[in-house]
Amino acid sequence: MRYPHDIILHYLGLYNIYSRRLEDEIKQGNIPGHIAIILDGNRRWAKKRLELENAGHFRGADAVEKLLDWCEELGIKIVTLYVLSAENLSREDEELSYLYQLIEVRLRKLYDDPRIHRNKTRVRAIGRMELLPDGILNVLKKLDEATKNYSRRYLNIAIAYGGQDEVLDAIKKIVKKVHMGEIDIDDITAKEIESNLYTSHLPQSSPDMILRTSGEKRLSGFLLWQGAYSELVFMDILWPEFRKIDLLRAIRTFQKRRRRMGK
């Protein structure tokens, strides 16, 4: 999908000028420190082009790699990507098998990516890892070990993830602490809950902005606790078509919002 405005700019040869101007404008404002993205629309992208669903997933993975470059250029410190939900694990075996293979290949590529070490990026998966195949688990463990001492940037990969599962797992950890006498019931605060969520390793667990592509306007269980006061941005573009200018537009939308944080 291309917006009519973009088509006109391309026709007039002004698209690149407009994009650079927008980026300069964005950089003068408040850049979100933590963005979370629901990568939606891969299968619809393929269907629209009469291609196999696998082609949509492959193009979507390419878009993720580009996104990480753009976030680095804009100075966004924390990126959380919703790659695969716990519910996705019930998909047809053939599609899920391809997804597993693709994810493992891209994770191995990420492990060998010099940008991770140059930028001191902490890479960590969040979700119920025990549900994943050994191949993916092994490369995630290698990424975690290789980057565990980094803290300049953070890349969180939500895989086999469910927001309700995350809250439930946090409750179980807290109940166990109470049972073991490590804390009292009165010690259970919002801070204690946050310290038991999957995102407890982050300096800023709550995203400033949650973006979803494909036109769907729901969170689908993504970061239910952390996203309580996040700014929500929904875009019609399908994820494989996502461009830097779309990210810039999302950030411009974020910058125009007045964040009250419940006050």
Side-chain angles (χ1 to χ4, degrees):
M1 173 183 175
R2 290 291 181 265
Y3 297 107
H5 177 58
D6 293 343
I7 295 173
I8 294 171
L9 289 174
H10 273 296
Y11 179 75
L12 296 176
L14 299 175
Y15 183 84
N16 290 334
I17 295 174
Y18 168 71
S19 180
R20 289 194 296 270
R21 181 177 176 182
L22 177 58
E23 183 169 354
D24 290 340
E25 176 189 331
I26 292 301
K27 288 182 176 179
Q28 298 303 312
N30 179 31
I31 298 293
H34 180 181
I35 66 168
I37 305 180
I38 301 172
L39 315 173
D40 196 19
N42 291 336
R43 290 191 290 179
R44 271 171 282 175
W45 179 89
K47 184 177 181 180
K48 188 170 69 171
R49 285 161 178 74
L50 302 178
E51 297 186 36
L52 296 175
E53 291 177 349
N54 292 353
H57 295 307
F58 187 88
R59 282 290 297 270
D62 286 344
V64 168
E65 294 186 12
K66 296 174 183 176
L67 171 75
L68 297 180
D69 284 334
W70 303 331
C71 288
E72 178 186 349
E73 293 168 8
L74 293 170
I76 298 169
K77 185 175 181 179
I78 305 172
V79 179
T80 300
L81 303 177
Y82 202 0
V83 173
L84 189 68
S85 72
E87 291 78 15
N88 289 153
L89 303 187
S90 63
R91 286 183 177 177
E92 295 295 330
D93 289 344
E94 185 176 341
E95 181 184 4
L96 188 59
S97 178
Y98 176 79
L99 274 172
Y100 283 153
Q101 293 175 29
L102 179 61
I103 290 170
E104 183 176 345
V105 167
R106 294 306 175 105
L107 287 175
R108 292 190 184 280
K109 185 176 180 181
L110 184 64
Y111 178 77
D112 294 325
D113 193 330
R115 293 174 300 177
I116 293 297
H117 304 287
R118 184 182 72 235
N119 296 322
K120 303 296 181 184
T121 303
R122 176 80 163 95
V123 182
R124 189 166 186 179
I126 58 174
R128 290 189 162 173
M129 301 297 102
E130 68 275 10
L131 300 178
L132 295 170
D134 289 341
I136 293 178
L137 278 178
N138 289 337
V139 68
L140 285 174
K141 289 177 181 176
K142 289 175 65 177
L143 274 165
D144 184 67
E145 180 64 24
T147 65
K148 64 181 180 181
N149 295 320
Y150 293 162
S151 60
R152 186 183 302 165
R153 297 184 185 279
Y154 295 84
L155 172 60
N156 308 296
I157 303 169
I159 182 170
Y161 173 89
Q164 292 179 333
D165 291 338
E166 179 179 23
V167 174
L168 179 59
D169 288 346
I171 291 172
K172 289 180 178 179
K173 291 178 184 177
I174 293 169
V175 169
K176 185 176 181 180
K177 288 182 181 180
V178 173
H179 180 72
M180 298 295 292
E182 297 176 11
I183 62 173
D184 295 324
I185 290 179
D186 291 339
D187 296 326
I188 302 176
T189 61
K191 186 175 181 180
E192 176 63 28
I193 293 173
E194 288 171 1
S195 70
N196 286 279
L197 295 173
Y198 300 156
T199 52
S200 60
H201 64 290
L202 296 175
Q204 178 190 340
S205 61
S206 298
D208 296 301
M209 178 181 78
I210 298 179
L211 166 66
R212 180 170 189 160
T213 56
S214 86
E216 300 292 349
K217 295 179 173 61
R218 57 180 179 271
L219 293 179
S220 298
F222 188 41
L223 301 178
L224 294 178
W225 178 279
Q226 301 90 330
Y229 296 108
S230 301
E231 294 297 327
L232 308 181
V233 179
F234 301 104
M235 305 187 79
D236 290 334
I237 193 165
L238 302 175
W239 176 249
E241 298 175 324
F242 195 78
R243 303 156 299 165
K244 185 176 183 179
I245 199 168
D246 299 309
L247 177 62
L248 294 173
R249 284 169 171 157
I251 294 174
R252 180 175 60 183
T253 298
F254 164 80
Q255 291 177 339
K256 289 181 177 180
R257 304 266 179 90
R258 183 181 177 186
R259 305 193 71 196
R260 299 181 182 274
M261 305 298 289
K263 297 179 182 178

